[in-house]
Amino acid sequence: MAVVLPNRHLTLHVLEHPWARDANGVPVPPDPTRRPEPRGTWPGAAQEQPDGTWSLRLDPAAWPIKPGDTVSDDTGMSWTVTTARSHRVPGCPAVDYVQVTATRNPPEVP
């Protein structure tokens, strides 16, 4: 098992879930120009993957995280969450973390 050490502070901005629905029952995302209030800032890690996505590691206090939420760091980079999973180790909460796959905002163009 590899250990990913914190390399920055990450701030989580959580959208209102579930999204409102229109008259036809289709989910309507919130206004993209209005960022929700941050849930908190914690030490975390961000690493770009070979396929261009980003792997983020957040403190378990950030849970729950849903696709569409955004994460930003102390350097001004931000990401939109595509998947999130909480990893808990029974009897050893010091190694618990939230694994997030995300895309960078704005997306990098090769």
XYZ file of all heavy atoms in Angstrom:
848
model
N 0.846 -1.169 0.000
C 0.000 0.000 0.000
C 0.894 1.236 0.000
O 1.824 1.341 0.772
C -0.901 -0.009 1.231
C -1.738 1.221 1.355
S -2.978 1.061 2.656
C -2.310 2.151 3.869
N 0.597 2.198 -0.852
C 1.337 3.456 -0.906
C 0.644 4.495 -0.040
O -0.582 4.529 0.054
C 1.416 3.954 -2.339
N 1.429 5.333 0.583
C 0.886 6.407 1.402
C 1.070 7.713 0.644
O 2.162 8.019 0.175
C 1.606 6.478 2.765
C 1.120 7.670 3.567
C 1.419 5.179 3.531
N -0.029 8.469 0.487
C 0.025 9.757 -0.181
C 0.000 10.829 0.909
O -0.979 10.965 1.631
C -1.162 9.946 -1.155
C -1.111 11.313 -1.805
C -1.164 8.843 -2.201
N 1.110 11.560 1.046
C 1.201 12.576 2.079
C 0.563 13.883 1.619
O 0.573 14.199 0.430
C 2.666 12.810 2.430
C 3.399 11.609 3.011
C 4.876 11.923 3.178
C 2.792 11.188 4.331
N 0.025 14.664 2.554
C -0.551 15.953 2.181
C 0.502 16.863 1.546
O 1.635 16.923 2.012
C -1.025 16.529 3.520
C -1.148 15.360 4.431
C -0.128 14.372 3.971
N 0.114 17.521 0.451
C 1.042 18.440 -0.212
C 0.427 19.821 -0.440
O 1.012 20.659 -1.121
C 1.555 17.851 -1.531
C 0.464 17.548 -2.528
O -0.691 17.889 -2.328
N 0.836 16.892 -3.610
N -0.768 20.061 0.102
C -1.449 21.350 -0.027
C -2.677 21.357 0.871
O -3.058 20.324 1.408
C -1.829 21.627 -1.472
C -2.772 20.577 -2.054
C -2.999 20.719 -3.539
N -1.854 20.188 -4.253
C -1.519 20.557 -5.481
N -2.227 21.427 -6.129
N -0.465 20.041 -6.080
N -3.304 22.505 1.026
C -4.565 22.599 1.753
C -5.689 22.657 0.729
O -5.633 23.442 -0.222
C -4.591 23.833 2.649
C -3.816 23.641 3.899
N -2.464 23.852 3.980
C -4.207 23.207 5.119
C -2.044 23.576 5.192
N -3.078 23.180 5.912
N -6.706 21.818 0.915
C -7.825 21.731 -0.024
C -9.106 22.228 0.634
O -9.397 21.877 1.780
C -7.996 20.293 -0.501
C -6.804 19.704 -1.256
C -7.021 18.228 -1.535
C -6.561 20.460 -2.548
N -9.858 23.030 -0.110
C -11.129 23.579 0.357
C -12.248 22.985 -0.481
O -12.170 22.982 -1.712
C -11.142 25.122 0.229
O -10.054 25.647 0.988
C -12.448 25.705 0.720
N -13.286 22.494 0.183
C -14.411 21.848 -0.500
C -15.594 22.797 -0.568
O -15.994 23.389 0.442
C -14.815 20.577 0.246
C -16.021 19.829 -0.283
C -15.742 19.274 -1.682
C -16.401 18.703 0.662
N -16.155 22.957 -1.781
C -17.371 23.739 -2.009
C -18.443 22.750 -2.461
O -18.327 22.157 -3.534
C -17.158 24.802 -3.084
C -16.122 25.816 -2.697
N -16.440 26.967 -2.038
C -14.782 25.819 -2.851
C -15.337 27.649 -1.817
N -14.318 26.983 -2.308
N -19.463 22.567 -1.627
C -20.479 21.540 -1.868
C -21.734 22.163 -2.461
O -22.263 23.138 -1.918
C -20.832 20.813 -0.555
C -21.914 19.780 -0.769
C -19.589 20.159 0.030
N -22.173 21.603 -3.577
C -23.430 22.039 -4.194
C -24.606 21.535 -3.378
O -24.486 20.575 -2.619
C -23.539 21.476 -5.612
C -22.498 21.942 -6.612
C -22.657 21.169 -7.916
C -22.614 23.428 -6.862
N -25.738 22.168 -3.568
C -26.954 21.691 -2.926
C -27.373 20.390 -3.618
O -27.504 20.336 -4.838
C -28.061 22.732 -3.064
C -29.335 22.352 -2.368
C -30.391 23.430 -2.520
O -30.032 24.616 -2.548
O -31.568 23.057 -2.622
N -27.530 19.323 -2.837
C -27.940 18.023 -3.381
C -29.221 17.599 -2.694
O -29.357 17.809 -1.492
C -26.864 16.964 -3.134
C -25.589 17.208 -3.867
N -25.457 17.040 -5.227
C -24.384 17.634 -3.440
C -24.222 17.330 -5.587
N -23.552 17.699 -4.522
N -30.157 16.996 -3.344
C -30.183 16.806 -4.793
C -30.543 18.105 -5.490
O -31.110 19.009 -4.895
C -31.271 15.749 -5.000
C -32.191 15.945 -3.846
C -31.338 16.422 -2.694
N -30.203 18.182 -6.790
C -30.506 19.366 -7.574
C -32.008 19.521 -7.724
O -32.762 18.549 -7.710
C -29.887 19.260 -8.960
C -28.394 19.372 -8.949
C -27.603 19.728 -7.907
C -27.523 19.115 -10.039
N -26.289 19.715 -8.289
C -26.207 19.343 -9.590
C -27.716 18.726 -11.346
C -25.100 19.193 -10.406
C -26.615 18.580 -12.158
C -25.313 18.817 -11.685
N -32.420 20.758 -7.915
C -33.832 21.025 -8.212
C -34.167 20.394 -9.563
O -33.280 20.119 -10.372
C -34.076 22.527 -8.253
N -35.447 20.143 -9.796
C -35.875 19.544 -11.067
C -36.835 20.482 -11.783
O -37.601 21.197 -11.155
C -36.536 18.186 -10.821
C -35.544 17.189 -10.261
C -36.155 15.801 -10.106
N -35.165 14.861 -9.653
C -34.420 14.092 -10.445
N -34.585 14.150 -11.750
N -33.538 13.263 -9.949
N -36.773 20.431 -13.124
C -37.676 21.275 -13.909
C -39.043 20.609 -14.016
O -39.284 19.562 -13.416
C -37.078 21.591 -15.282
C -36.943 20.384 -16.194
O -37.505 19.298 -15.882
O -36.271 20.516 -17.233
N -39.949 21.195 -14.801
C -41.317 20.683 -14.933
C -41.363 19.275 -15.512
O -42.330 18.540 -15.295
C -42.141 21.632 -15.795
N -40.324 18.872 -16.243
C -40.278 17.530 -16.823
C -39.534 16.533 -15.942
O -39.324 15.392 -16.325
C -39.609 17.575 -18.200
C -40.405 18.413 -19.174
O -41.635 18.332 -19.204
N -39.725 19.235 -19.950
N -39.074 16.973 -14.773
C -38.373 16.082 -13.860
C -36.879 15.970 -14.120
O -36.204 15.147 -13.509
N -36.340 16.794 -15.014
C -34.918 16.756 -15.345
C -34.153 17.579 -14.302
O -34.534 18.706 -13.998
C -34.674 17.324 -16.758
C -33.191 17.371 -17.079
C -35.425 16.502 -17.795
N -33.059 17.013 -13.727
C -32.282 17.785 -12.749
C -31.702 19.051 -13.370
O -31.194 19.037 -14.480
C -31.160 16.822 -12.358
C -31.645 15.474 -12.734
C -32.546 15.665 -13.909
N -31.796 20.150 -12.647
C -31.286 21.436 -13.093
C -30.122 21.821 -12.177
O -30.330 22.049 -10.988
C -32.378 22.525 -13.037
C -31.825 23.867 -13.467
C -33.571 22.123 -13.878
N -28.911 21.873 -12.732
C -27.775 22.233 -11.881
C -27.872 23.683 -11.414
O -28.508 24.505 -12.060
C -26.564 22.019 -12.790
C -27.087 22.055 -14.172
C -28.518 21.629 -14.110
N -27.225 23.983 -10.289
C -27.252 25.363 -9.807
C -26.464 26.291 -10.718
O -25.698 25.837 -11.576
C -26.596 25.267 -8.426
C -25.852 23.989 -8.433
C -26.499 23.091 -9.429
N -26.638 27.573 -10.526
C -25.962 28.596 -11.320
C -24.443 28.423 -11.196
O -23.901 28.509 -10.094
C -26.376 29.973 -10.805
C -25.762 31.112 -11.586
O -24.947 30.855 -12.507
O -26.092 32.261 -11.280
N -23.731 28.174 -12.304
C -22.296 27.928 -12.227
C -21.473 29.174 -11.875
O -20.310 29.069 -11.520
C -21.935 27.425 -13.629
C -22.994 27.976 -14.509
C -24.239 28.065 -13.659
N -22.089 30.351 -11.940
C -21.357 31.569 -11.614
C -21.380 31.875 -10.115
O -20.680 32.767 -9.662
C -21.930 32.779 -12.372
O -23.296 32.980 -11.971
C -21.857 32.558 -13.877
N -22.175 31.145 -9.369
C -22.256 31.346 -7.918
C -21.673 30.140 -7.205
O -22.238 29.060 -7.234
C -23.709 31.561 -7.493
C -24.263 32.882 -7.977
C -25.684 33.162 -7.519
N -25.970 32.689 -6.187
C -27.128 32.163 -5.828
N -28.093 32.026 -6.689
N -27.324 31.774 -4.599
N -20.544 30.343 -6.570
C -19.887 29.266 -5.838
C -20.503 29.163 -4.445
O -20.672 30.155 -3.760
C -18.403 29.565 -5.720
C -17.641 28.518 -4.948
C -16.197 28.887 -4.846
N -15.469 28.059 -5.783
C -14.173 28.061 -5.913
N -13.436 28.872 -5.201
N -13.583 27.270 -6.760
N -20.851 27.934 -4.016
C -21.418 27.785 -2.672
C -20.370 28.086 -1.596
O -19.169 28.100 -1.868
C -21.851 26.317 -2.630
C -21.120 25.650 -3.725
C -20.754 26.679 -4.734
N -20.835 28.320 -0.391
C -19.929 28.555 0.731
C -19.059 27.318 0.953
O -19.518 26.192 0.779
C -20.724 28.840 1.999
C -21.433 30.182 1.988
C -20.459 31.347 1.922
O -19.462 31.337 2.669
O -20.698 32.258 1.115
N -17.799 27.503 1.345
C -16.932 26.343 1.576
C -17.365 25.561 2.807
O -17.833 26.144 3.785
C -15.547 26.958 1.774
C -15.791 28.358 2.168
C -17.101 28.761 1.553
N -17.236 24.241 2.740
C -17.530 23.383 3.887
C -16.372 23.410 4.873
O -16.562 23.293 6.063
C -17.790 21.951 3.432
C -18.089 21.032 4.607
C -18.358 19.610 4.194
N -19.646 19.517 3.538
C -20.036 18.447 2.857
N -19.236 17.408 2.725
N -21.203 18.424 2.274
N -15.151 23.540 4.357
C -13.987 23.578 5.222
C -12.709 23.447 4.422
O -12.734 23.187 3.221
N -11.586 23.644 5.098
C -10.269 23.506 4.495
C -9.456 22.539 5.338
O -9.419 22.671 6.565
C -9.558 24.872 4.429
O -10.351 25.757 3.626
C -8.176 24.751 3.814
N -8.833 21.569 4.664
C -8.057 20.544 5.344
C -6.778 20.253 4.573
O -6.720 20.470 3.364
C -8.848 19.234 5.430
C -10.163 19.349 6.097
C -10.416 19.267 7.434
C -11.439 19.550 5.485
N -11.752 19.419 7.675
C -12.415 19.594 6.509
C -11.856 19.724 4.171
C -13.759 19.780 6.255
C -13.206 19.914 3.917
C -14.139 19.933 4.948
N -5.752 19.715 5.253
C -4.579 19.230 4.516
C -5.014 18.109 3.581
O -5.868 17.289 3.936
C -3.650 18.701 5.609
C -4.110 19.348 6.867
C -5.589 19.564 6.700
N -4.479 18.084 2.386
C -4.833 17.049 1.415
C -3.746 16.925 0.365
O -2.673 17.508 0.482
N -4.039 16.157 -0.663
C -3.068 15.921 -1.729
C -3.766 15.958 -3.071
O -4.939 15.602 -3.189
C -2.387 14.569 -1.528
N -3.033 16.403 -4.081
C -3.539 16.421 -5.452
C -2.422 15.961 -6.373
O -1.285 16.403 -6.238
C -3.993 17.826 -5.833
N -2.789 15.051 -7.274
C -1.791 14.516 -8.201
C -2.445 14.297 -9.551
O -3.493 13.654 -9.657
C -1.243 13.198 -7.660
C -0.127 12.615 -8.480
C 0.466 11.380 -7.819
O -0.180 10.718 -7.014
N 1.692 11.077 -8.166
N -1.811 14.847 -10.607
C -2.327 14.652 -11.957
C -2.024 13.239 -12.414
O -0.929 12.718 -12.183
C -1.731 15.661 -12.924
C -2.388 15.616 -14.291
C -1.965 16.755 -15.192
O -0.971 17.434 -14.885
O -2.644 16.949 -16.212
N -2.993 12.614 -13.078
C -2.848 11.254 -13.581
C -2.446 11.282 -15.054
O -2.654 12.274 -15.747
C -4.164 10.484 -13.397
C -4.643 10.429 -11.956
C -3.637 9.756 -11.054
O -3.260 8.614 -11.269
N -3.164 10.482 -10.049
N -1.890 10.175 -15.565
C -1.465 10.138 -16.973
C -2.587 10.431 -17.978
O -2.326 10.961 -19.051
C -0.948 8.713 -17.151
C -0.546 8.274 -15.782
C -1.508 8.961 -14.854
N -3.840 10.123 -17.615
C -4.956 10.364 -18.536
C -5.495 11.795 -18.467
O -6.473 12.135 -19.123
C -6.083 9.357 -18.295
C -6.748 9.503 -16.940
O -6.304 10.354 -16.128
O -7.714 8.765 -16.682
N -4.863 12.672 -17.660
C -5.284 14.062 -17.566
C -6.247 14.353 -16.433
O -6.520 15.518 -16.140
N -6.800 13.313 -15.793
C -7.650 13.536 -14.623
C -6.753 13.789 -13.414
O -5.534 13.631 -13.486
C -8.563 12.324 -14.350
O -7.746 11.182 -14.043
C -9.465 12.018 -15.536
N -7.363 14.168 -12.317
C -6.626 14.422 -11.090
C -7.134 13.500 -9.991
O -8.332 13.234 -9.892
C -6.803 15.872 -10.662
C -5.994 16.814 -11.487
C -6.254 17.224 -12.765
C -4.774 17.438 -11.111
N -5.276 18.072 -13.198
C -4.354 18.234 -12.201
C -4.002 17.420 -9.959
C -3.200 18.994 -12.163
C -2.851 18.182 -9.918
C -2.456 18.957 -11.017
N -6.216 13.018 -9.169
C -6.545 12.221 -7.998
C -6.319 13.103 -6.778
O -5.218 13.616 -6.569
C -5.649 10.979 -7.937
O -5.904 10.255 -6.757
N -7.376 13.319 -6.007
C -7.305 14.145 -4.810
C -7.540 13.278 -3.591
O -8.318 12.329 -3.637
C -8.358 15.255 -4.850
C -8.448 16.108 -6.112
C -9.608 17.093 -5.994
C -7.147 16.835 -6.356
N -6.869 13.609 -2.497
C -7.076 12.935 -1.218
C -7.484 14.004 -0.217
O -6.768 14.982 -0.018
C -5.800 12.247 -0.718
C -5.278 11.175 -1.647
C -6.221 9.969 -1.649
N -5.651 8.822 -2.336
C -5.799 8.581 -3.621
N -6.467 9.412 -4.366
N -5.282 7.500 -4.162
N -8.650 13.826 0.388
C -9.166 14.795 1.351
C -9.361 14.151 2.710
O -9.503 12.928 2.825
C -10.507 15.359 0.875
C -10.450 16.418 -0.209
C -10.403 15.794 -1.577
C -11.635 17.328 -0.087
N -9.416 14.983 3.717
C -9.680 14.558 5.082
C -11.077 13.940 5.144
O -11.994 14.406 4.462
C -9.600 15.787 5.989
C -9.669 15.424 7.445
O -10.786 15.153 7.930
O -8.606 15.419 8.086
N -11.286 12.902 5.961
C -12.621 12.295 6.048
C -13.698 13.246 6.569
O -14.884 13.018 6.349
C -12.433 11.099 6.982
C -11.117 11.278 7.628
C -10.307 12.189 6.770
N -13.307 14.339 7.217
C -14.297 15.316 7.680
C -15.002 16.000 6.508
O -16.068 16.586 6.687
C -13.618 16.361 8.562
N -14.437 15.912 5.309
C -15.049 16.512 4.121
C -16.247 15.705 3.617
O -17.044 16.221 2.839
C -14.014 16.635 3.002
N -16.373 14.454 4.019
C -17.433 13.573 3.533
C -18.783 14.065 4.008
O -18.891 14.536 5.121
C -17.171 12.142 4.011
C -18.059 11.151 3.358
C -19.138 10.531 3.916
C -17.958 10.655 2.022
N -19.705 9.699 3.010
C -19.014 9.755 1.828
C -17.098 10.911 0.965
C -19.218 9.092 0.633
C -17.299 10.249 -0.223
C -18.340 9.355 -0.377
N -19.872 14.003 3.232
C -20.005 13.420 1.903
C -19.642 14.414 0.795
O -19.820 15.617 0.928
C -21.484 13.054 1.817
C -22.169 14.041 2.701
C -21.179 14.376 3.801
N -19.134 13.863 -0.288
C -18.764 14.626 -1.479
C -19.475 13.981 -2.658
O -19.487 12.756 -2.775
C -17.243 14.607 -1.702
C -16.534 15.204 -0.486
C -16.875 15.350 -2.972
C -15.033 15.042 -0.521
N -20.059 14.785 -3.520
C -20.814 14.280 -4.673
C -20.226 14.819 -5.977
O -19.577 15.864 -5.984
C -22.275 14.721 -4.588
C -22.976 14.351 -3.314
C -23.541 12.986 -3.405
C -24.389 12.730 -2.161
N -24.818 11.391 -2.049
N -20.465 14.124 -7.100
C -20.048 14.673 -8.400
C -20.647 16.062 -8.605
O -21.792 16.314 -8.254
C -20.613 13.663 -9.408
C -20.679 12.378 -8.644
C -21.057 12.782 -7.233
N -19.829 16.955 -9.153
C -20.260 18.331 -9.370
C -19.754 19.290 -8.302
O -19.685 20.490 -8.537
N -19.418 18.778 -7.104
C -18.831 19.630 -6.071
C -17.467 20.091 -6.561
O -16.877 19.480 -7.451
C -18.682 18.872 -4.751
C -20.021 18.513 -4.114
O -21.048 19.103 -4.504
O -20.027 17.632 -3.233
N -16.946 21.165 -5.985
C -15.639 21.658 -6.403
C -14.675 21.684 -5.220
O -15.076 21.844 -4.073
C -15.714 23.071 -7.020
O -16.275 23.970 -6.074
C -16.523 23.074 -8.289
N -13.411 21.501 -5.556
C -12.329 21.528 -4.579
C -11.309 22.542 -5.093
O -11.013 22.575 -6.292
C -11.670 20.141 -4.436
C -10.518 20.174 -3.456
C -12.697 19.088 -4.023
N -10.790 23.375 -4.206
C -9.751 24.324 -4.596
C -8.608 24.226 -3.598
O -8.767 23.725 -2.495
C -10.310 25.748 -4.646
O -10.819 26.130 -3.390
N -7.429 24.698 -4.028
C -6.283 24.657 -3.126
C -5.778 26.058 -2.836
O -6.320 27.044 -3.346
C -5.177 23.741 -3.663
C -4.431 24.305 -4.851
O -4.719 25.437 -5.287
O -3.548 23.601 -5.362
N -4.734 26.131 -2.035
C -4.215 27.413 -1.603
C -3.414 28.144 -2.683
O -3.011 29.282 -2.487
C -3.390 27.259 -0.330
C -2.485 26.042 -0.330
O -2.493 25.274 -1.316
O -1.762 25.844 0.655
N -3.219 27.512 -3.859
C -2.510 28.183 -4.955
C -3.474 28.740 -5.995
O -3.043 29.354 -6.963
C -1.539 27.215 -5.669
O -2.286 26.207 -6.343
C -0.556 26.599 -4.691
N -4.770 28.493 -5.841
C -5.761 28.987 -6.787
C -6.264 27.953 -7.780
O -7.158 28.238 -8.559
N -5.680 26.749 -7.770
C -6.185 25.695 -8.666
C -7.528 25.207 -8.140
O -7.774 25.220 -6.932
C -5.205 24.517 -8.720
C -3.912 24.849 -9.416
S -2.748 23.452 -9.426
C -3.580 22.327 -10.524
N -8.408 24.771 -9.061
C -9.674 24.181 -8.638
C -10.022 23.011 -9.542
O -9.554 22.930 -10.678
C -10.794 25.222 -8.612
O -11.165 25.587 -9.914
N -10.838 22.099 -8.989
C -11.231 20.885 -9.685
C -12.723 20.651 -9.474
O -13.282 21.019 -8.451
C -10.491 19.676 -9.127
C -9.010 19.753 -9.217
C -8.219 19.282 -10.227
C -8.113 20.328 -8.267
N -6.894 19.529 -9.956
C -6.805 20.177 -8.755
C -8.276 20.969 -7.040
C -5.685 20.625 -8.067
C -7.163 21.421 -6.358
C -5.885 21.252 -6.873
N -13.364 19.999 -10.457
C -14.747 19.551 -10.330
C -14.735 18.049 -10.093
O -14.111 17.296 -10.847
C -15.562 19.873 -11.600
O -15.561 21.292 -11.772
C -16.991 19.382 -11.477
N -15.415 17.627 -9.046
C -15.446 16.216 -8.649
C -16.239 15.396 -9.663
O -17.347 15.766 -10.044
C -16.077 16.069 -7.245
C -16.249 14.610 -6.861
C -15.258 16.822 -6.215
N -15.661 14.266 -10.105
C -16.394 13.316 -10.952
C -16.795 12.076 -10.157
O -17.859 11.534 -10.382
C -15.581 12.911 -12.192
O -14.299 12.443 -11.787
C -15.400 14.096 -13.131
N -15.934 11.623 -9.232
C -16.277 10.511 -8.343
C -15.639 10.759 -6.982
O -14.617 11.440 -6.882
C -15.773 9.142 -8.862
O -14.348 9.142 -8.888
C -16.330 8.818 -10.228
N -16.243 10.188 -5.940
C -15.686 10.295 -4.591
C -16.006 9.026 -3.815
O -17.085 8.447 -3.978
C -16.253 11.506 -3.870
N -15.045 8.607 -2.999
C -15.226 7.386 -2.206
C -14.541 7.572 -0.856
O -13.405 8.028 -0.785
C -14.617 6.210 -2.944
C -14.949 4.871 -2.342
C -14.460 3.779 -3.230
N -13.312 3.170 -2.584
C -12.651 2.149 -3.042
N -12.981 1.617 -4.196
N -11.643 1.654 -2.392
N -15.240 7.222 0.208
C -14.697 7.328 1.550
C -13.989 6.021 1.916
O -14.577 4.948 1.819
C -15.819 7.610 2.555
O -15.311 7.665 3.856
N -12.721 6.129 2.303
C -11.942 4.963 2.730
C -11.789 5.020 4.241
O -11.179 5.947 4.768
C -10.547 4.958 2.085
C -10.574 4.704 0.627
N -10.492 3.454 0.095
C -10.689 5.550 -0.427
C -10.545 3.525 -1.224
N -10.669 4.789 -1.559
N -12.339 4.048 4.939
C -12.258 3.976 6.406
C -11.573 2.676 6.798
O -11.871 1.617 6.252
C -13.648 4.014 7.026
C -14.503 5.182 6.592
C -14.366 6.310 7.533
N -15.184 7.435 7.065
C -15.160 8.597 7.635
N -14.399 8.805 8.671
N -15.875 9.577 7.162
N -10.661 2.773 7.760
C -9.959 1.600 8.262
C -10.435 1.365 9.692
O -10.133 2.176 10.578
C -8.425 1.793 8.230
C -7.723 0.577 8.808
C -7.962 2.085 6.814
N -11.185 0.284 9.935
C -11.698 0.029 11.281
C -10.562 -0.034 12.305
O -9.553 -0.681 12.102
C -12.392 -1.334 11.155
C -12.698 -1.476 9.704
C -11.595 -0.749 8.982
N -10.742 0.706 13.398
C -9.771 0.690 14.479
C -8.553 1.565 14.256
O -7.664 1.627 15.097
N -8.461 2.247 13.105
C -7.298 3.090 12.823
C -7.740 4.345 12.063
O -7.422 4.515 10.886
C -6.261 2.302 12.032
S -4.672 3.124 11.942
N -8.478 5.249 12.734
C -9.010 6.420 12.038
C -7.936 7.385 11.532
O -8.218 8.222 10.670
C -9.893 7.089 13.091
C -9.375 6.598 14.396
C -8.842 5.214 14.147
N -6.709 7.260 12.001
C -5.642 8.170 11.555
C -5.322 8.009 10.075
O -4.750 8.912 9.471
C -4.385 7.948 12.387
N -5.681 6.873 9.466
C -5.376 6.655 8.055
C -6.607 6.752 7.154
O -6.523 6.479 5.970
C -4.657 5.296 7.834
C -3.332 5.279 8.541
C -5.525 4.138 8.260
N -7.745 7.160 7.704
C -8.952 7.348 6.900
C -8.755 8.527 5.943
O -8.066 9.493 6.263
C -10.162 7.645 7.787
C -10.558 6.468 8.659
O -10.040 5.358 8.433
O -11.384 6.674 9.566
N -9.361 8.439 4.758
C -9.292 9.534 3.792
C -10.433 9.406 2.800
O -11.120 8.387 2.734
C -7.950 9.553 3.055
C -7.718 8.368 2.135
C -7.986 8.467 0.771
C -7.237 7.154 2.622
C -7.775 7.394 -0.077
C -7.024 6.086 1.779
C -7.290 6.209 0.437
O -7.089 5.139 -0.412
N -10.643 10.469 2.014
C -11.626 10.461 0.938
C -10.855 10.542 -0.371
O -10.029 11.430 -0.564
C -12.615 11.640 1.050
C -13.563 11.657 -0.130
C -13.377 11.575 2.359
N -11.097 9.572 -1.253
C -10.459 9.541 -2.566
C -11.395 10.185 -3.570
O -12.565 9.818 -3.673
C -10.183 8.104 -2.974
C -9.630 7.966 -4.375
C -9.493 6.508 -4.787
O -9.624 5.604 -3.989
N -9.244 6.302 -6.056
N -10.872 11.178 -4.318
C -11.676 11.911 -5.293
C -10.983 11.861 -6.646
O -9.770 12.039 -6.740
C -11.852 13.383 -4.849
C -12.495 14.207 -5.949
C -12.659 13.463 -3.573
N -11.762 11.605 -7.689
C -11.295 11.771 -9.059
C -11.957 13.044 -9.566
O -13.153 13.241 -9.363
C -11.696 10.573 -9.941
O -11.163 9.390 -9.367
C -11.186 10.736 -11.353
N -11.166 13.919 -10.203
C -11.697 15.218 -10.598
C -11.053 15.702 -11.892
O -10.029 15.167 -12.323
C -11.442 16.230 -9.481
N -11.681 16.711 -12.498
C -11.114 17.386 -13.663
C -10.747 18.801 -13.256
O -11.429 19.418 -12.432
C -12.110 17.426 -14.838
O -13.308 18.053 -14.407
C -12.411 16.032 -15.343
N -9.677 19.316 -13.821
C -9.202 20.648 -13.461
C -10.067 21.718 -14.107
O -10.567 21.548 -15.215
C -7.752 20.813 -13.906
C -7.157 22.093 -13.407
C -5.680 22.116 -13.598
N -5.198 23.467 -13.315
C -4.057 23.925 -13.710
N -3.243 23.176 -14.401
N -3.694 25.157 -13.419
N -10.233 22.838 -13.413
C -10.983 23.985 -13.910
C -10.022 25.124 -14.170
O -9.305 25.511 -13.260
C -12.011 24.462 -12.885
C -12.998 23.385 -12.558
O -13.390 22.599 -13.386
N -13.404 23.348 -11.308
N -9.981 25.710 -15.327
C -10.541 25.166 -16.565
C -9.707 23.970 -17.008
O -8.549 23.842 -16.612
C -10.402 26.324 -17.553
C -9.263 27.131 -17.045
C -9.268 26.962 -15.539
N -10.301 23.105 -17.823
C -9.555 21.920 -18.272
C -8.285 22.311 -19.002
O -8.235 23.325 -19.693
C -10.533 21.221 -19.227
C -11.866 21.769 -18.881
C -11.643 23.152 -18.357
N -7.242 21.519 -18.805
C -5.988 21.758 -19.505
C -6.128 21.342 -20.956
O -6.719 20.323 -21.274
C -4.857 20.963 -18.855
C -4.568 21.424 -17.445
C -3.507 20.593 -16.782
O -3.200 19.483 -17.254
O -2.973 21.043 -15.769
N -5.589 22.156 -21.851
C -5.636 21.861 -23.287
C -4.223 21.487 -23.725
O -3.298 22.264 -23.518
C -6.146 23.078 -24.082
C -6.154 22.773 -25.564
C -7.524 23.479 -23.603
N -4.070 20.278 -24.319
C -2.719 19.873 -24.722
C -2.156 20.724 -25.844
O -2.791 21.356 -26.583
C -2.892 18.430 -25.182
C -4.337 18.127 -25.210
C -5.055 19.288 -24.604
